[in-house]
Amino acid sequence: MGSPSDFVKSRPVVEVYSLSTGEWRMLSASASLPPVCAKISHRPLTFANGPLHWIAVTNDKKRFVLVFDLGDEVFRQILLPELPSYTGKMMWTRVSVYGNSIAGFQRRVETGQINIWVMKEYGVASSWTKFSHQCPTLGMPSPCPEFRGAVLRPIGFRRNGDAVFVLGEGKLVCWNPESKEFKDLRMIGDHNPYIDSYIESLVLLDKAANVAVTP
């Protein structure tokens, strides 16, 4: 789907890989394809409730959650909350799994302030709720005093509801929205780490399942 600086005037081509055939096939039905848009970054996709999720942007700079359902192989859109004009340059940066639903992260261009929105009822745009606001990004309290002043980048949530951030060049920390405290996770990620939860299982992949998509 390109980048925000490289829009096209035609709808993107989408191919799905099937393990049952070992081949790629092209989605041809017009109703199944996404609108003309671009992903805002090359960050990993978010898998929640079956579909894949991206933050995408249209030619007129409107951002939304682009959803690809792996079951019926159809693209859908989830609207993001409308921001009041006085909020300034708040930009949607990524979407993450939050429990059985999703959450969206915003960043203020001038200060690095982060807002977190949670979709209380998955798929219902009117259920977006501001989970927290003015999450600190420009001053790290203990237990990470050596990184005080480093910029935080949100990457997702832990199962307990803590938000996880990349600090500086890769240090991972979590932030508890109730206590407002940071905790050093004592892990170092790369420049663009990805987190997700998993459930241990002995179930093998179903060869009939479609497991890859390249928009």
Side-chain angles (χ1 to χ4, degrees):
M1 287 182 290
S3 67
S5 60
D6 184 28
F7 284 104
V8 292
K9 294 184 178 180
S10 60
R11 302 179 84 175
V13 173
V14 179
E15 293 181 300
V16 175
Y17 180 79
S18 174
L19 286 175
S20 62
T21 62
E23 297 178 346
W24 291 92
R25 55 185 173 76
M26 187 177 297
L27 296 185
S28 57
S30 178
S32 300
L33 296 176
V36 178
C37 62
K39 294 185 293 183
I40 65 167
S41 74
H42 297 290
R43 295 186 177 99
L45 311 180
T46 296
F47 180 77
N49 291 328
L52 301 171
H53 302 74
W54 300 261
I55 293 284
V57 59
T58 62
N59 279 329
D60 56 0
K61 306 273 179 79
K62 291 183 178 179
R63 301 194 178 200
F64 62 97
V65 179
L66 180 62
V67 182
F68 180 69
D69 194 309
L70 295 174
D72 56 18
E73 298 183 354
V74 171
F75 282 89
R76 300 182 177 88
Q77 300 179 46
I78 296 178
L79 298 179
L80 290 165
E82 290 288 339
L83 301 179
S85 58
Y86 62 80
T87 56
K89 295 182 179 179
M90 292 295 295
M91 304 294 291
W92 291 98
T93 59
R94 70 186 305 159
V95 64
S96 172
V97 178
Y98 183 77
N100 294 322
S101 190
I102 57 175
F105 292 95
Q106 297 172 319
R107 177 183 290 276
R108 185 179 294 278
V109 176
E110 303 90 341
T111 65
Q113 169 198 327
I114 294 172
N115 287 352
I116 303 173
W117 291 76
V118 171
M119 178 170 273
K120 295 291 187 179
E121 185 177 350
Y122 178 76
V124 180
S126 61
S127 70
W128 282 111
T129 303
K130 186 175 283 189
F131 175 74
S132 68
H133 65 282
Q134 297 184 359
C135 173
T137 61
L138 299 178
M140 279 300 300
S142 180
C144 305
E146 68 273 23
F147 290 93
R148 189 179 301 279
V151 176
L152 295 170
R153 291 181 290 116
I155 60 173
F157 290 89
R158 304 176 73 184
R159 288 181 179 175
N160 65 0
D162 287 357
V164 180
F165 298 85
V166 179
L167 175 62
E169 294 301 318
K171 191 178 186 68
L172 298 183
V173 298
C174 65
W175 178 71
N176 185 286
E178 298 296 330
S179 66
K180 312 297 183 185
E181 293 180 350
F182 283 93
K183 178 182 178 181
D184 185 352
L185 294 177
R186 301 187 182 279
M187 292 186 288
I188 302 295
D190 59 17
H191 180 69
N192 192 26
Y194 174 76
I195 65 169
D196 201 351
S197 60
Y198 72 95
I199 299 175
E200 293 185 0
S201 173
L202 296 177
V203 177
L204 299 177
L205 283 175
D206 183 353
K207 290 186 177 182
N210 297 320
V211 296
V213 57
T214 57

